[in-house]
Each structure stands twice: as C-alpha cells, then as structure tokens.
Amino acid sequence: MSKILAYRDRIQMAGHTAELVTSSCDTVPSPPAAAEALGLPARSPVWQVTRIFSVDDVRAAYMRDYVPLKIGANEIDPSPMLGIDTDLFMFLDRVVLRPAAQVITDLEAVLASDQGADALRVPVGYPLARTLQTVFGHGDVPLVYGVALHRTDIVRIRITR
C-alpha cells in the first residue's frame, strides 16, 4: 500500500492545483458505521478528522476520517493530517507506524445533503460520489474508517489497489 498517492499528488499529476481549504480534528462519539467498521462499542470516542480540498480553487472533496484514540497500546495523535503534506496513508505509515495492508472502499452515487452541500458549496440535491473506506493494518486490524464526498464534475475517481 506504500505506493498510494496522496489526494494532492494525484490532482497535481493531472495538471491541476489542489489546496486544503480547511481541516479540523475533534474527539467525538463514533457514528454507528464507524464503530462497526473499527470494531468498537457504539458511541466509543474516536478522533474525527475533517478536511475539505479544492481543485483549481473549486471545493471538490469533503473527507471525514474516524480514527481510534488508541491502536493497540499506542495513543494516536492525528494532528499531522491537518496539513496538506500528510495524507492518511503517510500518517499511518510514518506516524502511527502501522502501514495499511488492505483498504476496502465502497463507491456510490448520492445527492448532497445539508452538511455536504455546505462543505462543497453546492445546492442540496447536487449529485456527488461518496466513498466509504475502511483501512486495515496487518492482521486485519481496523485502523481508520472514512467517508468522503466528491464532486465528479471537478475530479475523476480512480481506485487502483
């Protein structure tokens, strides 16, 4: 999994400019899907890392990753992901020291709801692509669950594993 390129790098390789518009990191009760994917009891506290990226100055991706407060015996600090230079896979590999061994991504067409519409500055009901992603370390240990909304009129999604 070490050859996975960061969102910014994939956009730049296509000849466009990617910027991190905003990012935040908070401890929240895990949403049901995140708790299930991470193998945690319902509403267990997790890190919620939220990032909005633009492509050529147009908001294009709204990403929300849920990270356990601890992986094994190690407390996790996801703050390096708040900058554009540390993507999820680099964070896992270099900061958490648990590289991704497997990623399961579901891709579906959705319509923007209030939160997604606000984040991407599109009207409610605007067509988007949503990815639901679970990242596993060695031994099938769940490391991260993520939900992302993508404007498909701005970016093309390619998944190569």
Side-chain angles (χ1 to χ4, degrees):
M1 301 300 290
S2 62
K3 294 184 182 180
I4 293 178
L5 295 175
Y7 183 81
R8 175 199 63 195
D9 297 338
R10 289 177 287 160
I11 299 300
Q12 289 175 343
M13 285 177 59
H16 300 279
T17 303
E19 297 291 332
L20 181 62
V21 176
T22 184
S23 62
S24 64
C25 178
D26 301 291
T27 304
V28 300
S30 58
E36 182 179 342
L38 296 171
L40 298 172
R43 303 193 49 80
S44 293
V46 293
W47 288 111
Q48 176 182 277
V49 180
T50 304
R51 293 165 291 160
I52 299 173
F53 289 91
S54 67
V55 174
D56 297 334
D57 296 320
V58 177
R59 290 185 180 206
Y62 173 53
M63 301 178 182
R64 184 164 275 171
D65 291 311
Y66 298 93
V67 183
L69 300 182
K70 285 183 156 186
I71 297 176
N74 301 321
E75 291 190 15
I76 303 302
D77 173 11
S79 62
M81 290 193 334
L82 297 179
I84 196 166
D85 293 326
T86 302
D87 72 318
L88 172 64
F89 295 99
M90 182 185 298
F91 167 73
L92 291 172
D93 192 35
R94 295 184 185 166
V95 178
V96 179
L97 302 177
R98 293 198 180 227
Q102 180 183 18
V103 178
I104 297 174
T105 304
D106 293 321
L107 177 67
E108 57 192 1
V110 297
L111 299 176
S113 62
D114 293 339
Q115 193 172 30
D118 288 345
L120 295 175
R121 295 190 174 153
V122 296
V124 170
Y126 195 85
L128 301 170
R130 177 171 58 191
T131 55
L132 306 170
Q133 177 173 275
T134 305
V135 181
F136 296 90
H138 295 286
D140 292 329
V141 174
L143 303 174
V144 178
Y145 175 75
V147 179
L149 295 173
H150 305 271
R151 287 187 55 176
T152 58
D153 61 325
I154 304 296
V155 296
R156 181 178 71 181
I157 298 171
R158 175 182 290 166
I159 300 172
T160 305
R161 305 256 193 248

